[in-house]
Amino acid sequence: MHLLTLVAAFAGFASALPSAEPHVLHEKRDGLPVAWRHHSRAERSTVLPVRIGLKQRNLEHGSRYIADVADPKSPNFGKHWSAEKVANAFMPSQETTDKVTNWLTSSGISANRLSHSVGRNWIEFTATVDETERLLQTQYHVYQQKESKGYRIACDDYSLPQSVRGHVDFVMPTIQLDGLKPVSQANPALQAGPHNNITGLTGIEYCDQVITIDCLRAIYGIPVASTNHSGNELGIAEWADYLYLPDLKVFFENFTSPKIPANVTPDFISIDGGKTSNLSLALLEEVVESALDFQTSYSIIYPQGIRQYQNGDSINVDSVGTFNIFLDALDGSYCSYEGGDQPYIDPAYPDPNEYGYTGPLQCGGAPMSNVFSVSYGQIEGALPRFYQERQCHEWMKLALQGVSVIYASGDSGVANRYNSGYNNTCLNADLGYVDQFGAKFSPSFPVNCPYITSVGATTLLNSSIYGGEKAVAAPNGPLSFYSGGGFSDIFERPSWQSDAVQNYLDKYSPKNYTDVQFNHSGRAFPDVSALGLNLATVWTSNATRGPQLYGVGGTSASAPIFASIITLLNEERLGQGKGPIGFLNPTIYAHPEMFYDVTVGSNPGCGTPGFPAAPGWDPVTGMGTPIYPKMKDVFCGLP
């Protein structure tokens, strides 16, 4: 449930500096992240897994391709691409492959040492530190992480010749140090309960105490589901949190209407050693996130099923993995040859740690869902720009294939979560790295990516379910919970949200906020919101007392609610003989009538009140919360 390794990141991460031929590009880290220190020079004979990310073709056309299949005004709406068409459209050019290969062979790396990834977007080989230093005109050092005392090999800078610079995204391992575990957006510190009585809380009488499926149906107009088209199973991805099946059974018995049979379980998909839960994990509170995700979703979509994508063996921080291992399992063309897309950020498999996963990295083969719900996030300022850009392109490719990717926006307002014990980490205003005492707002990743639908959190405005909603405000010291929202420092504002966001900036954004606080032209999030406080959740926190009822908070609650609604809408479309909706955002912003406008509340952080909610879109609750009947009219009316 907590971020094990989160350190200050990279200032000036890929600045182009003048240097002498033949190495004209110099990629440099301006000083060490504060959690690392030089330890020693790397041994010249140490072998490195060198990976070169090749420039892909046609990425500059990605937004146009997406608009063609996802803009509700497009004559090609819903005509999604095949995986083969996607791979062929973005595969690096033969010129790119040849230029980089020729540079390597002329530099002494023989052709028989080179391997290509399945999609041919990586060139990979092993080389000694001595060889790599000569190739990249650099020096490698061993760095020690101050808290964990762990070691990594990296360099402070490196350079590439002019002849290949236009064909290479980046080289690994070079200036990268930080590795991140996705952080759950469920906030167990905000539990209401345990409630003394696990029964008798259905209906709408107690919605001010705990939000059940009956409450959600009444508030959002969600119908009782009745169909389960094959292939439309909702996908829910988990990392270091697990679904404890005895809790699921108790929830079904007490909180579903009509009751879901006790023997119903999700399709379990293990990715890179992902495992099922047991009582010991439940008692360690490593099941709250999954309990919240699956119990809420099943209540909405059953008899449709759910796929549980359990990622990583979770033995240590590096083997938990990042979102890339999930993408690897879905898309074989994204994989690299040995496991772990990027050394020292992504995990390597087989995992040499005790009890680690000893199989190879899963490269493709996982079933693709029409809708994915993910309740985890990372910090934009703690990851390299190129890492985020390359992964964002992969979410774009899923969108082209008709996949709706839905992420929780975060639980720290305009700040971010440093670890499980501190929820208000910001950025250094001058250099942009993670700084507990920083003044710059800290956007989240990957909700900063334009091809993801980001979901913020609301709560009831008063005790009545008919009284409207407000942005979540649950102050509780360092574990305060406010709906995550803001503006990316990496990705530009996409055209489909431009008018709505500019309206907010012109009329409602605090005028004393300058570029010191946020990037006014960045991709803005969240896109929408849903209830995210006191969601009925059953989990075992005490072996003696067994499963108990809690009201759990977090945008982790909001994301699966919205994802489940989209799954129902896909069911409706499939029943009409149509395809899945796919990328949602252009339609969301084109049809504000589909949402209850939330105008009360804010999302404080970084020593400020954050952003205020306001009429129309705002960076607290997005376009608002769903009105199912109106969403059905719009989405089922599209081709």
Side-chain angles (χ1 to χ4, degrees):
M1 293 291 292
H2 57 280
L3 184 59
L4 300 178
T5 304
L6 181 56
V7 295
F10 316 90
F13 202 90
S15 54
L17 304 177
S19 59
E21 287 283 350
H23 290 265
V24 298
L25 177 103
H26 195 67
E27 294 196 287
K28 180 178 184 293
R29 180 198 304 114
D30 290 342
L32 280 178
V34 296
W36 295 88
R37 68 176 183 87
H38 280 97
H39 180 270
S40 59
R41 277 279 274 124
E43 291 288 340
R44 293 164 62 89
S45 60
T46 298
V47 176
L48 300 175
V50 181
R51 293 164 195 172
I52 300 175
L54 300 180
K55 292 281 188 185
Q56 300 176 76
R57 290 182 300 127
N58 295 321
L59 290 176
E60 68 276 15
H61 302 307
S63 295
R64 177 167 59 84
Y65 294 157
I66 287 290
D68 190 47
V69 299
D71 188 326
K73 297 178 181 178
S74 170
N76 292 319
F77 178 89
K79 296 180 180 179
H80 299 122
W81 293 19
S82 66
E84 181 180 13
K85 182 176 180 179
V86 169
N88 289 336
F90 297 105
M91 184 180 295
S93 68
Q94 190 61 49
E95 179 189 11
T96 288
T97 300
D98 290 345
K99 288 271 190 182
V100 177
T101 300
N102 291 339
W103 165 57
L104 293 172
T105 55
S106 67
S107 301
I109 309 298
S110 61
N112 62 7
R113 294 169 61 184
L114 304 179
S115 298
H116 292 266
S117 62
V118 176
R120 304 194 69 79
N121 50 9
W122 300 86
I123 289 181
E124 300 140 333
F125 58 94
T126 56
T128 64
V129 165
D130 182 55
E131 287 180 299
T132 312
E133 287 183 340
R134 285 186 278 110
L135 182 71
L136 302 177
Q137 299 292 291
T138 189
Q139 290 187 347
Y140 278 88
H141 292 83
V142 175
Y143 299 83
Q144 185 175 34
Q145 215 275 343
K146 293 181 180 179
E147 295 178 0
S148 70
K149 306 302 182 185
Y151 297 93
R152 287 181 178 171
I153 292 178
C155 58
D156 287 331
D157 55 10
Y158 72 98
S159 53
L160 297 174
Q162 185 177 25
S163 61
V164 301
R165 179 61 194 108
H167 300 280
V168 173
D169 274 341
F170 52 84
V171 182
M172 304 284 285
T174 49
I175 57 178
Q176 308 81 25
L177 285 171
D178 292 0
L180 293 180
K181 163 188 168 182
V183 182
S184 162
Q185 303 297 355
N187 202 327
L190 298 172
Q191 296 154 2
H195 291 272
N196 292 328
N197 189 359
I198 203 170
T199 62
L201 292 174
T202 54
I204 61 175
E205 183 180 354
Y206 301 99
C207 297
D208 60 329
Q209 299 179 37
V210 62
I211 300 293
T212 64
I213 179 61
D214 295 324
C215 303
L216 292 173
R217 285 180 180 144
I219 294 167
Y220 296 145
I222 302 172
V224 175
S226 60
T227 61
N228 59 338
H229 288 85
S230 178
N232 194 41
E233 293 84 357
L234 171 62
I236 296 180
E238 304 287 348
W239 273 261
D241 300 273
Y242 311 88
L243 179 60
Y244 187 51
L245 294 179
D247 291 343
L248 187 64
K249 176 182 177 181
V250 172
F251 183 87
F252 286 167
E253 291 172 346
N254 292 279
F255 290 98
T256 56
S257 175
K259 280 188 173 28
I260 299 176
N263 63 347
V264 169
T265 58
D267 295 333
F268 185 79
I269 300 165
S270 175
I271 295 173
D272 297 333
K275 57 191 176 184
T276 55
S277 186
N278 54 43
L279 180 60
S280 63
L281 291 171
L283 297 180
L284 288 171
E285 300 188 1
E286 294 182 354
V287 300
V288 183
E289 174 61 76
S290 295
L292 178 62
D293 292 343
F294 286 89
Q295 291 170 14
T296 299
S297 297
Y298 260 129
S299 297
I300 297 173
I301 70 170
Y302 185 81
Q304 184 51 270
I306 297 179
R307 293 169 174 155
Q308 176 185 353
Y309 297 80
Q310 192 70 45
N311 291 272
D313 58 19
S314 302
I315 299 302
N316 60 35
V317 63
D318 292 324
S319 61
V320 169
T322 67
F323 302 118
N324 269 335
I325 66 170
F326 179 51
L327 288 166
D328 284 336
L330 296 175
D331 180 8
S333 70
Y334 188 51
C335 294
S336 62
Y337 75 130
E338 282 185 342
D341 294 279
Q342 298 180 21
Y344 312 123
I345 294 181
D346 294 316
Y349 296 111
D351 180 359
N353 295 285
E354 186 178 8
Y355 307 117
Y357 168 62
T358 58
L361 174 94
Q362 182 168 347
C363 189
M368 188 77 77
S369 292
N370 292 329
V371 180
F372 286 109
S373 176
V374 186
S375 295
Y376 297 76
Q378 297 172 317
I379 297 178
E380 181 184 86
L383 285 168
R385 172 185 291 267
F386 58 71
Y387 179 91
Q388 297 179 63
E389 290 175 338
R390 195 167 180 101
Q391 191 179 113
C392 185
H393 293 148
E394 297 309 309
W395 299 118
M396 179 265 289
K397 294 174 186 178
L398 290 184
L400 281 172
Q401 295 174 68
V403 177
S404 304
V405 179
I406 296 167
Y407 264 79
S409 70
D411 293 352
S412 304
V414 296
N416 230 301
R417 187 182 301 184
Y418 184 84
N419 55 39
S420 61
Y422 198 84
N423 242 29
N424 189 35
T425 296
C426 303
L427 302 177
N428 179 283
D430 296 322
L431 300 177
Y433 59 75
V434 178
D435 183 351
Q436 179 176 326
F437 305 104
K440 187 176 179 62
F441 298 165
S442 179
S444 294
F445 169 80
V447 294
N448 58 351
C449 173
Y451 306 111
I452 280 172
T453 300
S454 171
V455 186
T458 62
T459 187
L460 296 179
L461 187 59
N462 52 50
S463 60
S464 170
I465 63 170
Y466 306 110
E469 296 168 64
K470 61 183 177 181
V472 160
N476 186 27
L479 284 172
S480 58
F481 167 34
Y482 299 100
S483 180
F487 297 77
S488 173
D489 290 320
I490 290 179
F491 298 103
E492 295 180 355
R493 186 192 310 164
S495 60
W496 37 259
Q497 69 168 188
S498 182
D499 289 346
V501 173
Q502 194 60 50
N503 177 71
Y504 179 85
L505 293 174
D506 291 343
K507 296 180 179 179
Y508 306 110
S509 179
K511 301 308 177 188
N512 59 322
Y513 293 172
T514 67
D515 287 340
V516 171
Q517 279 77 35
F518 72 96
N519 173 24
H520 292 65
S521 61
R523 188 288 202 244
F525 66 96
D527 301 300
V528 294
S529 54
L531 285 164
L533 192 63
N534 291 335
L535 266 290
T537 307
V538 171
W539 62 285
T540 300
S541 60
N542 182 294
T544 303
R545 298 182 65 181
Q548 297 168 273
L549 173 66
Y550 293 82
V552 178
T555 50
S556 279
S558 311
I561 290 173
F562 195 81
S564 298
I565 287 173
I566 300 304
T567 299
L568 289 187
L569 292 171
N570 279 338
E571 284 287 308
E572 300 273 8
R573 286 178 57 86
L574 292 168
Q576 296 176 348
K578 299 177 180 179
I581 299 166
F583 183 50
L584 303 166
N585 293 1
T587 306
I588 285 173
Y589 285 84
H591 290 278
E593 74 275 12
M594 297 191 298
F595 304 97
Y596 294 111
D597 195 4
V598 180
T599 61
V600 178
S602 63
N603 55 356
C606 304
T608 75
F611 294 106
W617 178 89
D618 58 68
V620 189
T621 63
M623 296 295 288
T625 58
I627 306 173
Y628 185 89
K630 293 186 178 182
M631 295 183 76
K632 178 181 174 180
D633 289 344
V634 170
F635 283 112
C636 290
L638 293 172

